[in-house]
Amino acid sequence: MPSVGLGTWQQRDARTVQRVVAQAVDMGYRLIDTASAYRNEAFIGSALADIFSDPHSSSTREDIWITSKLAPKQHGYDRTIAAVNESLENLQTDYIDLYLIHWPGVSGKAPGYPGHRAYRESSWKALEDLYRSGKVRAIGVSNYTKRHLQEMGEYAEIPPMVNQCELHPLFPQPDLLQYCKSNDIAFTAYASLGEGALISDYEILPELQDVSAARPDLTRAQTLLLWGLQRGAAVIPKASTVARLKENLEILVKKPLSERELDTLGSIPAQRQKHFCWHAASVS
């Protein structure tokens, strides 16, 4: 799985999605992250089909890693099978590189609903069968806490290969990262920029300012993305302009953060930490 990819959450305009995907692939991106809930799979599939059929393009289906996800309303064995088949059709492909359970709970139920486990267990059984069939080439989860991952040891014949969660200096999740590393579960970070708050004046981080002052060769976004990358996570920042696409991808050729710089960004005390997106700690 590539270490840097293109996130597409909240991008639902067909022309914008198709343009950004085409520009990203042309620039060298090799991972496109989407989800059933994003409602843009068909736009991405159309863009990729155009790229793969273009005689002037050197990119093939095998060059591009596609990640998609099961929506909370699609939990359950039969609905998971149907959801993956729908994603395959929308993405115009006969396999998906990585398919994740997007959320450990089912839609319409309170976090404490005792049936959440049965739903996610049956959904996982479906993904295992889809993996065996070759329709998905890797399977994993998203927004799973350490508790949800440990629980999978009781029912998963195939352990999760990836866990995709929010990760940035204000929400560093060290225990979850260590658990994933110890159990050979790759980690993908989303919301690396705190939904944009960490690179704006909305959320001032003195620690980020200190590192930025020492590293004028990096933008704040690049600093945050490198922090995630150097902690062992793949990163999937969103972008809608050529300049931002280029800025994000350039972290692959930038000088890494020093240990001191990593420590500075990792020194934010617990009382200041926060998350910007949904968090599944209360999902039973």
Side-chain angles (χ1 to χ4, degrees):
M1 182 174 69
S3 59
V4 178
L6 174 68
T8 64
W9 182 55
Q10 292 185 324
Q11 294 189 344
R12 294 178 179 169
D13 176 74
R15 290 185 179 179
T16 300
V17 171
Q18 291 169 344
R19 172 184 58 79
V20 170
V21 169
Q23 290 170 337
V25 172
D26 183 63
M27 195 175 294
Y29 280 81
R30 292 296 177 262
L31 188 164
I32 309 295
D33 182 273
T34 183
S36 175
Y38 296 173
R39 292 185 285 175
N40 60 18
E41 287 179 325
F43 308 147
I44 292 170
S46 178
L48 291 175
D50 288 345
I51 292 168
F52 301 150
S53 63
D54 184 351
H56 302 292
S57 172
S58 62
S59 297
T60 66
R61 172 66 186 91
E62 290 71 28
D63 295 325
I64 306 301
W65 179 288
I66 301 173
T67 297
S68 195
K69 311 177 195 74
L70 182 80
K73 68 179 181 180
Q74 296 169 322
H75 266 294
Y77 186 94
D78 291 339
R79 280 181 286 190
T80 298
I81 298 293
V84 170
N85 286 329
E86 183 179 3
S87 291
L88 288 166
E89 181 178 351
N90 285 336
L91 292 164
Q92 300 185 43
T93 183
D94 57 5
Y95 70 92
I96 296 171
D97 298 273
L98 172 63
Y99 201 87
L100 308 175
I101 294 177
H102 207 158
W103 182 250
V106 65
S107 291
K109 300 295 184 181
Y113 172 61
H116 285 310
R117 170 175 169 153
Y119 271 108
R120 59 180 173 262
E121 181 174 344
S122 61
S123 297
W124 188 254
K125 292 300 181 185
L127 287 189
E128 289 178 328
D129 287 344
L130 288 160
Y131 172 76
R132 295 185 183 104
S133 75
K135 287 189 174 182
V136 294
R137 296 193 172 180
I139 53 177
V141 295
S142 181
N143 297 295
Y144 272 42
T145 65
K146 180 179 175 180
R147 170 174 54 85
H148 296 126
L149 293 173
Q150 290 172 324
E151 171 196 274
M152 293 186 75
E154 301 172 14
Y155 62 77
E157 296 177 26
I158 301 171
M161 301 167 188
V162 176
N163 189 18
Q164 183 182 122
C165 296
E166 180 176 354
L167 185 77
H168 46 73
L170 276 183
F171 199 54
Q173 305 218 66
D175 291 343
L176 182 60
L177 267 176
Q178 184 56 50
Y179 181 85
C180 289
K181 181 178 180 180
S182 298
N183 289 274
D184 296 320
I185 302 171
F187 199 100
T188 298
Y190 72 76
S192 298
L193 312 183
E195 290 299 282
L198 302 182
I199 58 172
S200 69
D201 293 331
Y202 177 80
E203 193 76 47
I204 304 298
L205 289 186
E207 296 84 358
L208 179 57
Q209 291 177 326
D210 289 346
V211 173
S212 295
R215 291 295 303 271
D217 58 313
L218 298 175
T219 66
R220 280 186 287 180
Q222 289 173 333
T223 299
L224 292 165
L225 293 171
L226 274 175
W227 178 87
L229 205 61
Q230 290 181 237
R231 295 192 74 214
V235 293
I236 48 171
K238 294 180 292 183
S240 58
T241 66
V242 169
R244 187 54 60 83
L245 285 167
K246 183 174 182 289
E247 176 186 351
N248 293 341
L249 193 62
E250 280 182 345
I251 64 170
L252 293 173
V253 297
K254 290 290 187 178
K255 178 184 175 182
L257 298 173
S258 67
E259 287 299 319
R260 181 178 180 180
E261 290 160 349
L262 289 171
D263 290 344
T264 297
L265 290 171
S267 66
I268 298 173
Q271 61 267 28
R272 286 177 51 209
Q273 294 179 12
K274 61 188 289 188
H275 58 87
F276 294 89
C277 306
W278 53 359
H279 185 47
S282 62
V283 177
S284 64

PDB file of all heavy atoms in Angstrom, residues 99-112:
ATOM      1  N   TYR A  99     -10.568  -2.998   1.222  1.00  0.00           N
ATOM      2  CA  TYR A  99     -11.936  -2.659   1.611  1.00  0.00           C
ATOM      3  C   TYR A  99     -12.024  -2.705   3.132  1.00  0.00           C
ATOM      4  O   TYR A  99     -11.596  -3.676   3.765  1.00  0.00           O
ATOM      5  CB  TYR A  99     -12.949  -3.628   0.986  1.00  0.00           C
ATOM      6  CG  TYR A  99     -14.343  -3.055   0.925  1.00  0.00           C
ATOM      7  CD1 TYR A  99     -14.758  -2.276  -0.146  1.00  0.00           C
ATOM      8  CD2 TYR A  99     -15.246  -3.278   1.962  1.00  0.00           C
ATOM      9  CE1 TYR A  99     -16.031  -1.730  -0.195  1.00  0.00           C
ATOM     10  CE2 TYR A  99     -16.526  -2.740   1.927  1.00  0.00           C
ATOM     11  CZ  TYR A  99     -16.908  -1.970   0.845  1.00  0.00           C
ATOM     12  OH  TYR A  99     -18.191  -1.422   0.804  1.00  0.00           O
ATOM     13  N   LEU A 100     -12.565  -1.626   3.709  1.00  0.00           N
ATOM     14  CA  LEU A 100     -12.609  -1.458   5.161  1.00  0.00           C
ATOM     15  C   LEU A 100     -14.047  -1.399   5.673  1.00  0.00           C
ATOM     16  O   LEU A 100     -14.942  -0.900   4.980  1.00  0.00           O
ATOM     17  CB  LEU A 100     -11.914  -0.154   5.559  1.00  0.00           C
ATOM     18  CG  LEU A 100     -10.504   0.103   5.031  1.00  0.00           C
ATOM     19  CD1 LEU A 100     -10.050   1.499   5.431  1.00  0.00           C
ATOM     20  CD2 LEU A 100      -9.534  -0.954   5.538  1.00  0.00           C
ATOM     21  N   ILE A 101     -14.259  -1.872   6.878  1.00  0.00           N
ATOM     22  CA  ILE A 101     -15.490  -1.564   7.603  1.00  0.00           C
ATOM     23  C   ILE A 101     -15.309  -0.161   8.166  1.00  0.00           C
ATOM     24  O   ILE A 101     -14.407   0.088   8.962  1.00  0.00           O
ATOM     25  CB  ILE A 101     -15.742  -2.583   8.732  1.00  0.00           C
ATOM     26  CG1 ILE A 101     -16.011  -3.969   8.132  1.00  0.00           C
ATOM     27  CG2 ILE A 101     -16.920  -2.131   9.591  1.00  0.00           C
ATOM     28  CD1 ILE A 101     -16.204  -5.062   9.184  1.00  0.00           C
ATOM     29  N   HIS A 102     -16.156   0.774   7.736  1.00  0.00           N
ATOM     30  CA  HIS A 102     -15.937   2.189   8.010  1.00  0.00           C
ATOM     31  C   HIS A 102     -16.132   2.549   9.484  1.00  0.00           C
ATOM     32  O   HIS A 102     -15.487   3.468   9.996  1.00  0.00           O
ATOM     33  CB  HIS A 102     -16.906   3.011   7.153  1.00  0.00           C
ATOM     34  CG  HIS A 102     -16.427   4.381   6.829  1.00  0.00           C
ATOM     35  ND1 HIS A 102     -16.887   5.110   5.758  1.00  0.00           N
ATOM     36  CD2 HIS A 102     -15.523   5.195   7.423  1.00  0.00           C
ATOM     37  CE1 HIS A 102     -16.290   6.285   5.709  1.00  0.00           C
ATOM     38  NE2 HIS A 102     -15.466   6.361   6.722  1.00  0.00           N
ATOM     39  N   TRP A 103     -17.012   1.835  10.176  1.00  0.00           N
ATOM     40  CA  TRP A 103     -17.399   2.205  11.538  1.00  0.00           C
ATOM     41  C   TRP A 103     -17.843   0.943  12.278  1.00  0.00           C
ATOM     42  O   TRP A 103     -18.515   0.095  11.689  1.00  0.00           O
ATOM     43  CB  TRP A 103     -18.537   3.227  11.469  1.00  0.00           C
ATOM     44  CG  TRP A 103     -19.041   3.760  12.764  1.00  0.00           C
ATOM     45  CD1 TRP A 103     -20.246   3.504  13.342  1.00  0.00           C
ATOM     46  CD2 TRP A 103     -18.377   4.673  13.639  1.00  0.00           C
ATOM     47  NE1 TRP A 103     -20.367   4.190  14.524  1.00  0.00           N
ATOM     48  CE2 TRP A 103     -19.229   4.921  14.732  1.00  0.00           C
ATOM     49  CE3 TRP A 103     -17.132   5.307  13.609  1.00  0.00           C
ATOM     50  CZ2 TRP A 103     -18.891   5.762  15.784  1.00  0.00           C
ATOM     51  CZ3 TRP A 103     -16.782   6.149  14.657  1.00  0.00           C
ATOM     52  CH2 TRP A 103     -17.654   6.373  15.726  1.00  0.00           C
ATOM     53  N   PRO A 104     -17.476   0.784  13.545  1.00  0.00           N
ATOM     54  CA  PRO A 104     -17.784  -0.451  14.259  1.00  0.00           C
ATOM     55  C   PRO A 104     -19.231  -0.595  14.705  1.00  0.00           C
ATOM     56  O   PRO A 104     -19.584  -1.597  15.349  1.00  0.00           O
ATOM     57  CB  PRO A 104     -16.842  -0.413  15.462  1.00  0.00           C
ATOM     58  CG  PRO A 104     -16.621   1.040  15.711  1.00  0.00           C
ATOM     59  CD  PRO A 104     -16.603   1.672  14.353  1.00  0.00           C
ATOM     60  N   GLY A 105     -20.070   0.365  14.379  1.00  0.00           N
ATOM     61  CA  GLY A 105     -21.477   0.289  14.744  1.00  0.00           C
ATOM     62  C   GLY A 105     -22.378   0.382  13.534  1.00  0.00           C
ATOM     63  O   GLY A 105     -21.968   0.838  12.467  1.00  0.00           O
ATOM     64  N   VAL A 106     -23.625  -0.060  13.701  1.00  0.00           N
ATOM     65  CA  VAL A 106     -24.612  -0.005  12.625  1.00  0.00           C
ATOM     66  C   VAL A 106     -25.436   1.278  12.749  1.00  0.00           C
ATOM     67  O   VAL A 106     -25.680   1.767  13.855  1.00  0.00           O
ATOM     68  CB  VAL A 106     -25.525  -1.253  12.660  1.00  0.00           C
ATOM     69  CG1 VAL A 106     -26.362  -1.288  13.933  1.00  0.00           C
ATOM     70  CG2 VAL A 106     -26.407  -1.321  11.417  1.00  0.00           C
ATOM     71  N   SER A 107     -25.846   1.834  11.635  1.00  0.00           N
ATOM     72  CA  SER A 107     -26.627   3.076  11.633  1.00  0.00           C
ATOM     73  C   SER A 107     -27.958   2.894  12.357  1.00  0.00           C
ATOM     74  O   SER A 107     -28.551   1.807  12.358  1.00  0.00           O
ATOM     75  CB  SER A 107     -26.913   3.516  10.198  1.00  0.00           C
ATOM     76  OG  SER A 107     -25.752   3.936   9.555  1.00  0.00           O
ATOM     77  N   GLY A 108     -28.399   3.960  12.967  1.00  0.00           N
ATOM     78  CA  GLY A 108     -29.729   3.973  13.565  1.00  0.00           C
ATOM     79  C   GLY A 108     -29.807   3.393  14.959  1.00  0.00           C
ATOM     80  O   GLY A 108     -30.907   3.284  15.520  1.00  0.00           O
ATOM     81  N   LYS A 109     -28.686   2.989  15.514  1.00  0.00           N
ATOM     82  CA  LYS A 109     -28.683   2.415  16.857  1.00  0.00           C
ATOM     83  C   LYS A 109     -27.807   3.250  17.780  1.00  0.00           C
ATOM     84  O   LYS A 109     -26.803   3.814  17.353  1.00  0.00           O
ATOM     85  CB  LYS A 109     -28.167   0.975  16.837  1.00  0.00           C
ATOM     86  CG  LYS A 109     -28.979   0.028  15.964  1.00  0.00           C
ATOM     87  CD  LYS A 109     -30.394  -0.168  16.495  1.00  0.00           C
ATOM     88  CE  LYS A 109     -31.147  -1.189  15.649  1.00  0.00           C
ATOM     89  NZ  LYS A 109     -32.538  -1.376  16.129  1.00  0.00           N
ATOM     90  N   ALA A 110     -28.172   3.318  19.037  1.00  0.00           N
ATOM     91  CA  ALA A 110     -27.390   4.060  20.026  1.00  0.00           C
ATOM     92  C   ALA A 110     -26.020   3.413  20.189  1.00  0.00           C
ATOM     93  O   ALA A 110     -25.856   2.211  19.956  1.00  0.00           O
ATOM     94  CB  ALA A 110     -28.126   4.083  21.361  1.00  0.00           C
ATOM     95  N   PRO A 111     -25.018   4.202  20.599  1.00  0.00           N
ATOM     96  CA  PRO A 111     -23.672   3.634  20.781  1.00  0.00           C
ATOM     97  C   PRO A 111     -23.642   2.409  21.678  1.00  0.00           C
ATOM     98  O   PRO A 111     -22.857   1.484  21.446  1.00  0.00           O
ATOM     99  CB  PRO A 111     -22.881   4.795  21.384  1.00  0.00           C
ATOM    100  CG  PRO A 111     -23.573   6.017  20.889  1.00  0.00           C
ATOM    101  CD  PRO A 111     -25.033   5.661  20.840  1.00  0.00           C
ATOM    102  N   GLY A 112     -24.496   2.368  22.695  1.00  0.00           N
ATOM    103  CA  GLY A 112     -24.493   1.245  23.625  1.00  0.00           C
ATOM    104  C   GLY A 112     -25.308   0.043  23.185  1.00  0.00           C
ATOM    105  O   GLY A 112     -25.423  -0.943  23.926  1.00  0.00           O
TER     106      GLY A 112
END
